[in-house]
Amino acid sequence: MTDAAVAEVTVAEPREGGVREEERSLASDAWRALRGNPVFWVSAVLIAVFTLMAIWPSLFTNTDPREAILAESRSRPGDGTWFGRDIQGYDIYARCIYGARASILVGVMTTAMAVAIGGGIGMISGYLGGAWDATFSRIGDIFFSIPLLLGAIIFLSSLPEFFNDNYFLVIMKVVLALAFLGWPSLARLMRSSVIQVKPNDYVQAARALGASPSRIIRSHILPNSLAPLIVVATISLGGYIAVEATLSFLGIGLQPPAISWGIDISAAIVGLRTTPHMLFFPSLFLSLAVLGFILMGDAVRDALDPKTR
Amino acid sequence: MTTTQDTTTPSDKTSGVTYTPEDGLLLEVEDLYVEFHTPDGIATAINGVSFDLHQGESLAILGESGSGKSVTAQAIMGILDMPPAVIPGGHIRYCGQDLLSMPEDQRRRTRGPEVSMIFQDALSSLNPVFPVGWQIAEMFRMHRGVNKSDALEQAIRLMERVQIPAARDRVKAYPHQFSGGMRQRIMIAMAIALDPAVLIADEPTTALDVTVQAQIMALLDELQQERQMGLILITHDLGVVADVADRIAVMYAGRFVEKADVVELYSAPAHPYTRGLLESIPRLDQKGQTLAAIGGLPPNLMRIPPGCPFNPRCRRAEDVCRRDRPELREVVPGRFAACHFAEEVINA
Amino acid sequence: MPEVILSAQDLVKHYPIRSGVLRRVAGQVKAVDGVSFDLHKGETLGIVGESGCGKSTLGRLLMRLEEPTSGKVIFGGEDWSGASGRKLRQMRRNIQIVFQDPYTSLNPRMTVGDIVGEPLEIHSDVVPKGGRRKRVQELLDLVGLNPEHINRYPHQFSGGQRQRIGIARGIALNPSVLVCDEPVSALDVSVQAQVVNLMEKLQDELGLAYVFIAHDLSVVRHISDRVGVMYLGRMAELGEEDEVYSRPTHPYTQALLSAVPVPDPTLRGKRDQIVLQGDVPSPANPPSGCRFHTRCWKAQEVCTTDEPELELRPDGLGAHLSRCHFAEPRLILETVDVSDLEPDTRFAGTEVQDMSDLGAGLGAAGGGEDLGSSAADAGVERSSALHPDTDQAPQDTTRLVDEQPGDDRPTR
């Protein structure tokens, strides 16, 4: 009932509001909401820093992360280096900086691939319905029933050796595994939001005008059903980074000489009691990166969801 | 309903607090203000509204969406969400006691036995996971401490009273198993279960078809006569008002612009807005009618224009209307209007 | 009588009800069950009925938004129920739709210019690319909106303004038929009249024929030349507006009319009130024989077994189509003919321009002047753009209300 009361007030709002401000698209409204949200700025700064780290690590450190000074193995933070050195004598600070590249690459590429596959399949099953929907939904359910971590382990261990040849192939193999198992949740989401948008009168009006299916999808369904996908994709980007670290930790994701937070965390386990800083710094970077994307997803959701405004 | 037939004077059945109306005066709303504090600014939903309600009287509050008519009802019921709503001023007296200054638990006990409400959307007002009979019976158990089987028996009698066919068999049915009209009857049964002195009906028939609307309005009218309730009918439908209400208050941008006896108001409206409304509705009993429309839109409640809030849409508006806000005043005995030129409008 | 432009022939739409694990068809919802009517050029056919009677489905069948289970839709002599591809697209130019809900009928992510311009983009040969923006502005002007608002988004408009945008989209391709599915029911009382007046003006100027679907009997009477009353997927009564409202012969029509509240408190208790018992039966399982017999006070044995035909039955003065074995006229309410009365324009006007932006400028002096002059400038180009196929242009597009009815329009 109180919703009704507020609605009664807010319905009246745009009437004159529009006179003052021309061209208020929903995207610009979303940006307006984001701009005033401190969570957005915190997460944006975090993501920007990590992205910069991934693209241009030498901006942050001049030390070579593969320069092992065994003599200074396990030295503590402050003894000549910021974060100390690990068991191999690598500079932990430099390792953390260089580790960002693998994480960001895996996160971004997995998300892009999962969004493309999941979004496309979700769109097809939501828009066409019927047998297409049934088929794709069942296929999605099958993938959905495979636990992500277990599935990834099996997938990765079954890949041919050739994938371990160079850095990009190693990254790609993790990306493939995660995208292969991650698309169903995005497809489900896309499907349900397409099904919500499809019966709207503006879609019917376009049909009545004789618009082609591709036009209906492009200008009516896609722009109105994309918001949940963007939100969940942003949040799961953080999740993929965490899973990549987990796989690397278990020794089946990235492998040395690749540099990854997961690998470093795994290597630090031996000194958990004696040299906790070896574990602490890569874990901190990992957590901050995951947190950045999750917070960003939350902020974007608040901005895109008109109900919270 | 033999148990409730004799209680024409309202009294609280559980807490011992009794409310006795003086000279039949049930409800007195005095200079009420309600604001909504939103991130975009303050929306003044109700802007100084006053009225009385007596036993057996039906008052219609007529207005368009955003006029504040539903907010008025919710303020009286005390079901506004605060925040964002704020009541910066005014009194709502029930039998002489101010509901707004009452402690919350005492006020809560007035909802149901003293003041009760019917909503527009019966489906969302009923709980979908409980049988309807159980929901009606719950009212008796909560407020009167009646045991389970007696409460259910009373619920059945109440369902029969609101003319639900085969009530005894359907007492265990769920809300979605009833049609829209039947659900609204169940809502009415719940609202009158504790024999309230004041019944507020907020657009009770808007979601219903016209033949069902006629049934529901006839039922409400009958129940009101039988129980001598004070009825506040909130609606936008000039036709429904003409069929049911004794008095009518026309609301625009959070204030009453006109208040009068129904027959007098329809024959000679005293405010340009009322007049425009009456001329803008197509009538079933006329043909070849040319519709006259009120131009423009109701104002944004965050930016109500200075002077008379209706002045931008009023064809009679002069400089004084853009400058001075007209108060609701008695134009001729018994007729109130908030217009600088009310005398002219009433005689037009 | 002018030529028939659209004709529905025995239209049927059944929706299967599936149940069980195997999703077997367990029954049929008979939403529309054999509806036929003709629509003449430039006239308004009102379709009234309560929720669930199939009137909205009928509108969607006419638009080919749903495929009929059986039956035909004939447009301009051609059956278009089987048309597809290019032919279907071509026909869509001639028949368009206006929806009920002004909040879901416009894509929130598109500007008004894109929304109204979309028909022109889909049918790209109607207006050349360079002229489209101008044409959109003319259309906005035509429906009484400020053409400068072309770059605004739907949420910046009120419900009434949005409905005007929906109408502008509907008439963009110069259709000859506009199906209006409850076009004013979501609007406030004071805004309803503005939109109804606009629709009447457009009909006069563009020679449109309307199928006006609504549940509000008063609005339908006001705008329609002929009226069809639907009950459970079938037409119960069909005739001239005056025949159906002044001399209804079907008990359902009579009950419907008597239930409509009239805004005149002096009539309270004096009207012939027929209160129907019970609810409308489910269209999945309609009653045998006459569909109305379960609620009818005149029902007899024959009504439960034999379905009456929709045929001409005497109404006291002449005869019109009615589907009742015991059809007889009954006066529900005295009709007053007010067509000679000049409307009182001291407090409300008959202009069709949207005046929300004029604000305080709308005073006793009347606020239409600014828009009037700008419309006059655009008048010449607009008339040619509106009727690219014909040389006949409307005489004067700047007038706010047409005094003399259009040539093709049947007199009411």
Side-chain angles (χ1 to χ4, degrees):
Chain A
M1 304 143 282
T2 348
D3 273 356
V6 176
E8 224 187 305
V9 175
T10 45
V11 158
E13 200 275 322
R15 292 176 175 168
E16 280 184 12
V19 179
R20 288 168 196 217
E21 304 148 45
E22 288 284 327
E23 305 215 29
R24 276 175 54 199
S25 71
L26 290 189
S28 71
D29 267 3
W31 171 234
R32 196 182 309 257
L34 278 179
R35 233 171 25 190
N37 186 353
V39 173
F40 166 73
W41 288 112
V42 170
S43 60
V45 166
L46 275 175
I47 291 173
V49 168
F50 280 111
T51 312
L52 204 59
M53 247 181 235
I55 299 170
W56 207 349
S58 55
L59 214 60
F60 295 81
T61 174
N62 293 321
T63 319
D64 181 355
R66 293 193 178 84
E67 187 195 6
I69 304 177
L70 273 172
E72 290 175 28
S73 166
R74 300 190 183 208
S75 66
R76 303 217 161 246
D79 298 355
T81 55
W82 287 10
F83 292 174
R85 288 183 188 276
D86 70 1
I87 203 157
Q88 305 274 355
Y90 292 138
D91 181 343
I92 295 180
Y93 174 70
R95 299 279 300 182
C96 285
I97 297 294
Y98 278 85
R101 177 174 287 174
S103 298
I104 297 289
L105 265 181
V106 168
V108 170
M109 284 166 67
T110 310
T111 306
M113 203 178 274
V115 164
I117 301 172
I121 288 180
M123 174 64 83
I124 294 169
S125 38
Y127 184 75
L128 295 178
W132 288 99
D133 184 20
T135 313
F136 280 127
S137 295
R138 289 303 84 75
I139 295 175
D141 286 348
I142 293 168
F143 277 93
F144 216 63
S145 64
I146 306 172
L148 181 61
L149 211 51
L150 186 63
I153 292 170
I154 295 167
F155 183 92
L156 286 173
S157 49
S158 67
L159 278 182
E161 268 304 296
F162 130 92
F163 271 97
N164 295 335
D165 282 1
N166 72 37
Y167 185 71
F168 267 98
L169 281 177
V170 173
I171 299 255
M172 269 320 287
K173 124 186 140 167
V174 177
V175 168
L176 273 179
L178 294 185
F180 188 63
L181 295 161
W183 68 265
S185 61
L186 295 178
R188 255 191 197 189
L189 189 76
M190 191 65 183
R191 173 184 174 270
S192 68
S193 89
V194 168
I195 285 175
Q196 262 175 21
V197 171
K198 205 179 143 196
N200 271 320
D201 285 345
Y202 55 81
V203 179
Q204 301 299 323
R207 283 184 58 203
L209 285 166
S212 62
S214 78
R215 182 188 184 91
I216 291 175
I217 290 178
R218 195 162 23 93
S219 40
H220 297 286
I221 295 190
L222 200 59
N224 286 291
S225 57
L226 217 48
L229 194 71
I230 293 173
V231 172
V232 172
T234 316
I235 293 176
S236 48
L237 204 157
Y240 294 138
I241 292 177
V243 175
E244 180 275 320
T246 313
L247 290 171
S248 303
F249 174 85
L250 293 172
I252 46 166
L254 304 184
Q255 269 136 32
I259 304 166
S260 150
W261 296 327
I263 296 172
D264 287 3
I265 292 171
S266 164
I269 289 291
V270 290
L272 184 59
R273 297 208 179 156
T274 49
T275 51
H277 66 275
M278 278 166 47
L279 182 63
F280 176 74
F281 289 107
S283 310
L284 179 72
F285 272 58
L286 173 65
S287 306
L288 285 178
V290 174
L291 188 70
F293 285 103
I294 290 178
L295 288 181
M296 176 62 87
D298 273 350
V300 171
R301 173 173 47 214
D302 290 349
L304 291 179
D305 187 357
K307 268 175 273 171
T308 58
R309 263 189 272 141
Chain B
M1 290 306 303
T2 47
T3 52
T4 51
Q5 209 61 282
D6 49 353
T7 50
T8 42
T9 39
S11 61
D12 195 305
K13 287 92 185 168
T14 49
S15 64
V17 184
T18 51
Y19 299 94
T20 326
E22 233 169 273
D23 300 327
L25 179 65
L26 289 171
L27 198 66
E28 237 183 316
V29 175
E30 194 187 313
D31 209 18
L32 183 69
Y33 286 80
V34 176
E35 292 171 354
F36 285 90
H37 290 229
T38 71
D40 299 328
I42 295 174
T44 314
I46 304 181
N47 207 340
V49 155
S50 307
F51 65 90
D52 302 337
L53 183 74
H54 293 81
Q55 278 180 322
E57 181 186 41
S58 58
L59 168 75
I61 299 182
L62 181 98
E64 299 180 274
S65 52
S67 63
K69 56 187 195 305
S70 290
V71 179
T72 309
Q74 287 164 1
I76 297 169
M77 276 305 282
I79 52 172
L80 279 173
D81 263 344
M82 304 207 276
V86 174
I87 302 184
H91 301 280
I92 301 173
R93 276 187 282 269
Y94 175 71
C95 295
Q97 300 204 38
D98 196 344
L99 292 173
L100 292 178
S101 56
M102 209 175 255
E104 180 51 35
D105 63 327
Q106 192 188 342
R107 185 165 190 200
R108 198 179 57 238
R109 282 195 295 269
T110 67
R111 286 178 212 141
E114 310 296 340
V115 187
S116 183
M117 186 159 170
I118 305 166
F119 300 94
Q120 171 179 345
D121 186 358
L123 186 58
S124 68
S125 312
L126 291 167
N127 189 333
V129 300
F130 292 112
V132 293
W134 189 91
Q135 292 186 53
I136 302 173
E138 186 68 6
M139 302 286 294
F140 297 113
R141 294 174 58 197
M142 248 164 40
H143 285 268
R144 296 207 180 134
V146 179
N147 74 39
K148 208 169 169 178
S149 62
D150 284 357
L152 208 60
E153 197 55 40
Q154 289 188 30
I156 292 168
R157 267 185 303 186
L158 209 48
M159 283 169 75
E160 279 164 355
R161 177 63 198 86
V162 295
Q163 294 149 26
I164 291 174
R168 193 164 291 276
D169 302 330
R170 305 187 71 181
V171 71
K172 290 217 170 78
Y174 290 85
H176 68 94
Q177 293 170 298
F178 290 86
S179 69
M182 287 298 148
R183 280 197 289 264
Q184 198 54 279
R185 286 173 194 273
I186 291 161
M187 279 295 297
I188 293 174
M190 284 177 71
I192 62 164
L194 301 169
D195 213 17
V198 176
L199 181 64
I200 304 172
D202 187 358
E203 304 264 10
T205 58
T206 307
L208 303 175
D209 278 320
V210 43
T211 55
V212 182
Q213 164 172 295
Q215 297 168 1
I216 296 289
M217 289 318 297
L219 174 68
L220 268 180
D221 199 31
E222 201 181 298
L223 289 169
Q224 190 217 353
Q225 304 290 335
E226 172 188 308
R227 296 169 181 232
Q228 283 298 299
M229 289 183 292
L231 176 72
I232 300 178
L233 177 70
I234 312 262
T235 184
H236 68 277
D237 190 325
L238 285 151
V240 169
V241 173
D243 265 356
V244 177
D246 305 324
R247 284 195 304 145
I248 174 170
V250 181
M251 227 174 159
Y252 186 81
R255 32 177 83 226
F256 283 173
V257 293
E258 182 163 7
K259 207 159 68 168
D261 175 86
V262 166
V263 179
E264 290 176 19
L265 182 129
Y266 278 73
S267 62
H271 194 280
Y273 175 63
T274 320
R275 212 181 158 100
L277 273 187
L278 282 168
E279 276 161 22
S280 68
I281 45 168
R283 286 185 57 156
L284 192 65
D285 55 353
Q286 293 186 352
K287 67 171 185 177
Q289 187 186 4
T290 311
L291 290 189
I294 307 175
L297 296 164
N300 181 339
L301 296 177
M302 294 187 195
R303 289 186 285 274
I304 296 175
C308 172
F310 186 60
N311 86 68
R313 304 175 74 188
C314 184
R315 298 166 79 90
R316 181 65 188 81
E318 290 181 12
D319 279 346
V320 62
C321 305
R322 292 184 261 276
R323 201 177 54 235
D324 300 335
R325 181 151 290 187
E327 292 304 318
L328 191 68
R329 61 196 170 88
E330 196 156 14
V331 184
V332 291
R335 302 286 311 268
F336 296 83
C339 176
H340 292 299
F341 305 107
E343 285 82 2
E344 191 186 310
V345 180
I346 204 170
N347 294 319
Chain C
M1 189 154 257
E3 58 178 303
V4 173
I5 190 158
L6 180 77
S7 154
Q9 293 183 357
D10 207 22
L11 275 179
V12 174
K13 181 67 186 177
H14 290 180
Y15 295 98
I17 311 169
R18 294 177 191 276
S19 67
V21 189
L22 297 172
R23 319 287 302 147
R24 265 206 304 246
V25 177
Q28 306 274 340
V29 174
K30 297 177 174 124
V32 174
D33 206 12
V35 170
S36 308
F37 61 81
D38 290 340
L39 179 72
H40 302 100
K41 201 160 183 267
E43 79 164 347
T44 302
L45 173 70
I47 304 281
V48 284
E50 297 179 280
S51 48
C53 73
K55 56 187 194 298
S56 285
T57 310
L58 178 65
R60 299 166 61 84
L61 287 176
L62 294 176
M63 284 306 300
R64 279 289 300 277
L65 285 172
E66 304 264 4
E67 295 301 320
T69 309
S70 68
K72 284 181 188 169
V73 179
I74 311 279
F75 184 88
E78 266 189 281
D79 180 8
W80 83 311
S81 33
S84 63
R86 181 186 292 267
K87 193 173 172 209
L88 182 65
R89 259 167 61 102
Q90 205 62 34
M91 299 192 111
R92 290 203 182 281
R93 282 193 198 175
N94 296 318
I95 173 163
Q96 273 304 313
I97 186 163
V98 174
F99 291 96
Q100 166 179 11
D101 187 347
Y103 289 89
T104 63
S105 60
L106 307 179
N107 186 340
R109 310 253 169 194
M110 281 165 81
T111 63
V112 171
D114 290 339
I115 290 168
V116 178
E118 187 171 32
L120 305 175
E121 286 204 13
I122 294 170
H123 301 269
S124 50
D125 50 330
V126 177
V127 180
K129 200 161 189 175
R132 284 184 201 151
R133 190 183 162 85
K134 196 163 164 226
R135 167 77 174 138
V136 168
Q137 288 184 321
E138 284 162 8
L139 284 164
L140 290 181
D141 187 30
L142 191 65
V143 297
L145 289 170
N146 185 348
E148 282 160 29
H149 293 169
I150 188 164
N151 287 330
R152 287 195 185 177
Y153 285 85
H155 66 126
Q156 292 170 278
F157 292 90
S158 69
Q161 291 173 318
R162 284 161 152 258
Q163 208 56 307
R164 288 171 189 265
I165 297 167
I167 293 173
R169 173 178 60 194
I171 61 173
L173 297 169
N174 279 316
S176 36
V177 177
L178 201 57
V179 176
C180 310
D181 187 2
E182 304 261 14
V184 297
S185 9
L187 304 177
D188 267 324
V189 189
S190 73
V191 181
Q192 258 188 21
Q194 299 173 16
V195 175
V196 169
N197 283 346
L198 169 71
M199 293 185 65
E200 293 189 319
K201 183 202 91 156
L202 291 175
Q203 181 165 50
D204 292 348
E205 290 183 3
L206 308 177
L208 284 166
Y210 290 137
V211 178
F212 193 96
I213 298 166
H215 68 273
D216 186 328
L217 285 102
S218 314
V219 173
V220 168
R221 168 162 218 181
H222 176 77
I223 201 165
S224 304
D225 303 307
R226 288 192 305 134
V227 176
V229 181
M230 281 185 75
Y231 186 76
L232 276 178
R234 299 221 166 193
M235 204 68 96
E237 189 159 0
L238 180 65
E240 299 282 317
E241 164 255 310
D242 206 33
E243 291 170 339
V244 173
Y245 281 84
S246 305
R247 304 186 292 280
T249 62
H250 197 286
Y252 177 62
T253 314
Q254 293 163 359
L256 209 54
L257 285 173
S258 85
V260 178
V262 174
D264 185 352
T266 56
L267 293 178
R268 194 187 290 181
K270 293 180 192 150
R271 287 194 295 137
D272 181 10
Q273 286 255 24
I274 306 166
V275 177
L276 287 180
Q277 293 308 309
D279 290 311
V280 183
S282 157
N285 189 15
S288 62
C290 172
R291 303 216 157 164
F292 187 58
H293 85 256
T294 52
R295 300 170 78 195
C296 185
W297 64 97
K298 284 163 117 183
Q300 294 186 17
E301 194 61 37
V302 60
C303 301
T304 63
T305 52
D306 296 355
E307 164 132 48
E309 289 299 314
L310 183 68
E311 57 190 27
L312 287 174
R313 296 176 200 262
D315 61 12
L317 209 64
H320 66 272
L321 296 171
S322 174
R323 197 189 278 277
C324 177
H325 291 302
F326 305 102
E328 53 178 353
R330 174 163 169 180
L331 181 68
I332 300 296
L333 71 175
E334 206 79 54
T335 300
V336 188
D337 191 340
V338 293
S339 34
D340 300 335
L341 278 179
E342 274 298 305
D344 183 354
T345 53
R346 281 171 299 178
F347 301 101
T350 50
E351 57 278 278
V352 295
Q353 219 70 11
D354 171 62
M355 274 169 293
S356 8
D357 297 337
L358 294 176
L362 169 74
E369 279 171 40
D370 299 356
L371 284 165
S373 58
S374 67
D377 297 337
V380 184
E381 295 109 325
R382 187 210 294 158
S383 52
S384 55
L386 279 178
H387 292 263
D389 307 330
T390 57
D391 296 323
Q392 280 187 317
Q395 309 83 3
D396 173 18
T397 44
T398 60
R399 75 198 152 190
L400 294 173
V401 178
D402 199 3
E403 265 84 40
Q404 68 263 58
D407 304 341
D408 297 324
R409 197 143 175 243
T411 38
R412 325 223 222 113

